């Protein structure tokens, strides 16, 4: 019966020792890219534009939103007015208003769709077959995927 207490005590000490080893080891993985001091990076102004700058990391969502805000804030006052916000829609409307009367007729509004139908209706029957209809599917653009360089092989010391 005494051996159970001894085995339990030894197991507890082994677990404490293993925990101390795991928590006590503060090894950090080596960085994938070497650290470059800010003073060592030359700007295009310093080099006359002759050297290419290193690749920049992808923009964070916050900076994307700041860029989007900047596109709308035409007078750069830090605020977007209703007119600034609607400017892009006004341009799109003006493109659709082909006769420039300030009003969109149904034909002006549906011009793109009408042209798409006419292009798809190859036999000019006024109807589309399933094969003709398949040509009207929106073209999906492939998103550029991040092509990361391969990780450096681990070097054994």
């Amino acid at each position: 019966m005494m051996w159970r207490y001894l085995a339990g005590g030894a197991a507890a000490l082994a677990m404490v020792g293993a925990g101390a080893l795991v928590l006590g080891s503060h090894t950090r993985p080596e960085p994938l890219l070497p650290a470059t001091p800010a003073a060592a990076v030359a700007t295009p102004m310093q080099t006359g534009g002759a050297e290419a700058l290193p690749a920049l990391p992808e923009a964070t969502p916050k900076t994307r939103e700041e860029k989007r805000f900047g596109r709308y804030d035409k007078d750069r006052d830090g605020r977007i007015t209703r007119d600034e916000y609607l400017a892009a829609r006004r341009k799109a409307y003006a493109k659709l208003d082909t006769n420039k009367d300030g009003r969109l007729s149904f034909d002006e509004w549906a011009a793109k769709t009408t042209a798409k139908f006419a292009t798809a209706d190859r036999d000019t029957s006024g109807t589309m077959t399933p094969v003709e209809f398949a040509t009207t599917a929106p073209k999906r653009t492939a998103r550029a995927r991040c092509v990361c360089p391969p990780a450096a092989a681990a070097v054994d010391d």
Side-chain angles (χ1 to χ4, degrees), residues 68-90:
R68 182 174 162 262
F69 186 90
R71 284 193 300 267
Y72 279 89
D73 186 16
K74 299 296 183 189
D75 60 5
R76 304 289 184 238
D77 65 350
R79 297 175 185 208
I80 297 173
T81 64
R82 183 177 183 275
D83 288 339
E84 287 172 328
Y85 189 70
L86 295 175
R89 297 290 89 217
R90 281 191 172 81

Side-chain angles (χ1 to χ4, degrees), residues 43-69:
T43 64
M45 295 296 284
Q46 294 168 337
T47 61
E51 296 179 13
L53 290 175
L56 298 175
E58 185 176 330
T60 63
K62 182 179 179 184
T63 59
R64 285 186 191 130
E65 190 60 27
E66 289 171 347
K67 288 178 182 179
R68 182 174 162 262
F69 186 90

Side-chain angles (χ1 to χ4, degrees), residues 116 122 132-142:
K116 194 177 212 179
R122 302 233 183 227
E132 291 172 332
F133 180 73
T135 64
T136 66
K139 306 296 185 246
R140 297 185 187 260
T141 57

